[in-house]
Amino acid sequence: AGSTEGEDNGPIPRHIAVIMDGNRRFGRREHGSSISGHRAGGEKLRDFLKWSVELGVEYLTVFAFSTENWKRDPQEVDGMMQLFLTEVPRLGKLTAALNVKVKFLSSDASPLSEDVAACLAKLEKETEACTGLQLNVCLSYGGRGDIVMACRKVAEEVASGTLALEDIDEQCLGQRLLTGDIPDPDILVRTSGERRLSNFLMYQLAYCEMFFLQKHWPEVEREDLLEIVASYGRRHRRFG
């Protein structure tokens, strides 16, 4: 992981990871409906994406739906899946305008319906040639599951003779994660006052700088991101 220089010569993180927490609580408080909070969260993601592009961030990885989220109330889960079918095309309009490449990362895609999976694949295809910021949307994702998938790939390669046992190291495993072709996050942002990783990018976040906001995700403003980036620039990162 590394940084690029911003307009004020302060370091800009190359890769920002976000746990977009508090949508349900925001929706229930403001509108008496959790699904309205998730809709507001989708709108905020589009705002945050624009701000990140303006700053010169290269990679933005967001936690949209975890493998554990499937255990929630079936009515809410179905509502969220229906919301993805409307929010993903809206996201697509913005990414096209911003030259943003979109990838959906799933450690277990099997629970996704055919229409949702097709919707995600369509946006990935439409943006695969984009050369600007890369947006990774973790959907039906779990960090431990990601690591298990990578271990299986390593085991299969060793069994087939294409990978030697002595060549297995941290880099080898990291390259087989769902984020294996991009640098690890420099920054993790979590909203809603929670201070835990919740099985998000468990391998990749080893040396990131963590920032926790008390406000819910739909309440985040551009100034919050600017303040985080400025604070990141003042921190002395230690890889150890």
Side-chain angles (χ1 to χ4, degrees), residues 111-158:
L112 295 172
S113 65
E114 288 185 10
D115 53 350
V116 170
C119 181
L120 307 183
K122 182 174 184 289
L123 182 53
E124 283 193 335
K125 182 69 175 176
E126 290 172 349
T127 64
E128 64 181 359
C130 291
T131 57
L133 179 149
Q134 178 174 314
L135 171 64
N136 302 308
V137 181
C138 294
L139 200 159
S140 195
Y141 174 89
R144 289 180 173 180
D146 192 2
I147 295 170
V148 169
M149 284 174 59
C151 290
R152 284 176 179 162
K153 291 176 185 175
V154 168
E156 289 169 358
E157 291 174 40
V158 170

Side-chain angles (χ1 to χ4, degrees), residues 56-74:
V57 174
E58 297 177 44
Y59 305 94
L60 175 62
T61 302
V62 299
F63 207 4
F65 191 90
S66 72
T67 47
E68 289 82 7
N69 287 156
W70 291 109
K71 300 172 185 176
R72 288 184 177 178
D73 179 81

Side-chain angles (χ1 to χ4, degrees), residues 22-29 31-43 65 72-87 90 218:
N23 291 334
R24 286 199 297 176
R25 278 165 281 179
F26 175 83
R28 289 168 179 165
R29 187 191 72 198
H31 309 288
S33 163
S34 60
I35 201 67
S36 67
H38 292 303
R39 188 175 296 109
E43 294 172 1
F65 191 90
R72 288 184 177 178
D73 179 81
Q75 188 173 356
E76 181 184 355
V77 170
D78 183 62
M80 291 185 70
M81 292 300 117
Q82 293 301 314
L83 193 60
F84 285 134
L85 292 175
T86 58
E87 287 297 317
R90 286 176 183 163

